[in-house]
Amino acid sequence: MTSQAARLPLAFFLLRLVVTTEAFQAITSSSPAQQQRLPKRAPATFVSMLPSSIQQQRQQYSHTGALWKQQLGPSTATVSSTTLLRSGSSENGETSSDETKLQKKIAARKKRVEIGYQVSALALASMTCIGFVKYRFYQPISIPFMLYIISGPWMASSVAFHLVGSGSNDRLKTDSCKRLNLALASFGFIGLLAKDIITTAQPLWIFACLVAMINSIKGYGYGLKGWDLKMMDGNAGAVKDILGGSLTSLQSIFSLPAIFSRSTGYAALAVTFGAMKCAIMYKLISHIVAAGPMNKMVWIPLAFQCKKLLLLTVAALTLKEAVDQNETESPKGWGAAPVGLGLATAVVTGFTAAYSIKQGSVYLGGWIALLAVFSTVDGINRWTALNLPIKVAKTRVN
């Protein structure tokens, strides 16, 4: 027993050495058949040379190892091709599902923006009608002054109607739509600040200005970042974009293809309204910084004139760019530039000319009246060029 016990450590050492050697040969062998045969030969030969007690212990250990393998199952390091295919298909399914959700979300955003522009246009047009009825029949005032008052919400309604087709046509990212959105948002913001001067249908006025401001800010944001709200290539932050857009607008005003051209006429319109807006802003700022309390009967009318002249300036610049680019495709219908927006600008320009002449500014009123005639004729000519050829072609076919 003593000699047998002395041989046990040596036998265990030799057994471990043989198993380790065969395992290394099985791993490094290039033939799969050898990998399967090697573990079955030498261990059996060597085990038969061991004493019976050692063989019993080895059988016990091998039985334990078999149970451990049965519990673990296949090796976790080995991944079958079926598992890879299933994981790949699940990833593709998740990707397509995310894309579908994103497309649905974008479609919903476009629809909400379109509805916002429509609601703004309808509410502001309603305020125009209410103002006309009030100052024409219930509290009659001079016609030029009445037209000048209602021209503000009328112009804002025209701008909102012009932007209705910009969402579905993915034109909110253009510079013209960005400027119009910022101008309309400013109109709504100033309208909310100066709401006290509105004595008739004030809740409707607050609602119209609030919707116009919020929806225009959203429209500008979607134009800046895209419908998925990710910053698009080439776009910067809002502040940098506004400053860069302002410089670009100033450059585009003075870039004229010819001295006597339609582009020159709209540039003169933009410069005229821009100068008038700066003069009103100077008066407004002077009143704000002056000593003493602010008089709302002074600054509110100035603020109303400023927001209207801002819309006219931006609309005139939009019409100039549309003429320079020969833009007739989008948006279509009466909201297209320079058809619908051009005619609305011409009408408001005529109202402004009448008001200026009534106030005694004959030279300014005459100059604005000349610009009103120009924009009216150009708008009618553009509408005729876009619509009458279609009607004539239909008549010839019949």
Side-chain angles (χ1 to χ4, degrees):
M1 291 295 294
T2 303
S3 60
Q4 185 176 1
R7 289 196 299 269
L8 282 177
L10 179 62
F12 277 119
F13 173 75
L14 294 176
L15 177 61
R16 292 175 181 175
L17 179 63
V18 171
V19 172
T20 303
T21 303
E22 291 183 353
F24 177 77
Q25 291 178 356
I27 293 173
T28 57
S29 177
S30 59
S31 174
Q34 293 180 359
Q35 295 178 5
Q36 296 178 359
R37 288 194 301 269
L38 283 174
K40 295 180 180 179
R41 290 182 180 178
T45 305
F46 183 79
V47 170
S48 61
M49 300 170 59
L50 298 176
S52 59
S53 61
I54 298 176
Q55 294 181 10
Q56 292 177 0
Q57 292 179 4
R58 179 184 178 277
Q59 291 176 0
Q60 181 180 0
Y61 291 146
S62 63
H63 180 69
T64 304
L67 291 176
W68 180 72
K69 290 181 180 180
Q70 291 178 2
Q71 293 176 0
L72 287 182
S75 177
T76 57
T78 304
V79 181
S80 62
S81 60
T82 305
T83 305
L84 292 175
L85 291 174
R86 289 178 179 176
S87 61
S89 61
S90 62
E91 290 178 357
N92 293 333
E94 292 177 357
T95 304
S96 61
S97 177
D98 294 339
E99 292 179 355
T100 303
K101 292 180 180 179
L102 180 60
Q103 294 299 324
K104 291 182 178 179
K105 187 179 293 186
I106 290 175
R109 288 172 179 172
K110 289 183 178 181
K111 186 176 181 180
R112 287 194 296 268
V113 170
E114 296 285 333
I115 293 175
Y117 287 133
Q118 293 173 357
V119 172
S120 301
L122 181 60
L124 291 168
S126 301
M127 288 301 304
T128 304
C129 297
I130 292 173
F132 176 80
V133 172
K134 174 183 177 180
Y135 294 115
R136 186 68 180 91
F137 300 103
Y138 293 96
Q139 298 178 10
I141 58 177
S142 63
I143 294 179
F145 190 53
M146 177 198 68
L147 296 178
Y148 187 72
I149 291 176
I150 67 175
S151 62
W154 164 257
M155 191 64 203
S157 176
S158 301
V159 171
F161 182 70
H162 171 77
L163 291 170
V164 168
S166 300
S168 58
N169 295 323
D170 290 332
R171 290 181 52 82
L172 291 178
K173 59 185 177 182
T174 61
D175 293 337
S176 60
C177 288
K178 287 181 181 179
R179 283 193 297 265
L180 290 173
N181 273 313
L182 289 175
L184 189 58
S186 301
F187 183 94
F189 178 72
I190 297 174
L192 289 175
L193 291 179
K195 66 181 184 301
D196 293 336
I197 201 174
I198 304 297
T199 57
T200 304
Q202 190 183 71
L204 179 59
W205 173 257
I206 295 174
F207 172 77
C209 292
L210 187 63
V211 173
M213 182 184 68
I214 295 176
N215 196 71
S216 299
I217 292 174
K218 290 173 60 178
Y220 174 79
Y222 289 135
L224 179 67
K225 296 186 177 182
W227 292 105
D228 54 355
L229 295 180
K230 296 180 180 178
M231 189 68 72
M232 296 183 297
D233 296 336
N235 278 340
V239 177
K240 187 177 179 180
D241 182 74
I242 293 173
L243 294 177
S246 300
L247 294 176
T248 304
S249 301
L250 290 175
Q251 294 175 358
S252 63
I253 290 177
F254 298 102
S255 59
L256 304 175
I259 297 178
F260 299 100
S261 62
R262 297 162 57 215
S263 179
T264 304
Y266 286 114
L269 195 65
V271 171
T272 301
F273 287 133
M276 293 175 64
K277 178 178 68 68
C278 292
I280 296 298
M281 286 185 63
Y282 176 77
K283 295 180 181 179
L284 180 60
I285 294 174
S286 300
H287 178 71
I288 293 175
V289 299
M294 293 176 57
N295 186 358
K296 68 177 182 180
M297 299 307 297
V298 175
W299 73 267
I300 289 181
L302 292 175
F304 264 67
Q305 295 181 59
C306 183
K307 65 184 177 58
K308 177 172 55 180
L309 291 171
L310 175 62
L311 283 178
L312 288 170
T313 304
V314 175
L317 181 58
T318 303
L319 296 171
K320 180 188 179 301
E321 289 185 348
V323 170
D324 292 341
Q325 300 172 5
N326 195 20
E327 184 177 323
T328 59
E329 293 298 327
S330 179
K332 298 179 180 180
W334 281 100
V339 179
L341 187 62
L343 292 175
T345 304
V347 171
V348 177
T349 303
F351 294 167
T352 306
Y355 173 77
S356 299
I357 294 173
K358 182 68 175 179
Q359 293 296 110
S361 302
V362 180
Y363 293 105
L364 178 61
W367 171 248
I368 297 175
L370 181 62
L371 294 176
V373 172
F374 158 75
S375 57
T376 302
V377 172
D378 185 73
I380 292 175
N381 288 337
R382 181 55 63 93
W383 181 85
T384 303
L386 291 177
N387 293 276
L388 289 186
I390 300 176
K391 295 181 179 180
V392 172
K394 290 181 178 180
T395 304
R396 290 179 179 177
V397 170
N398 294 332

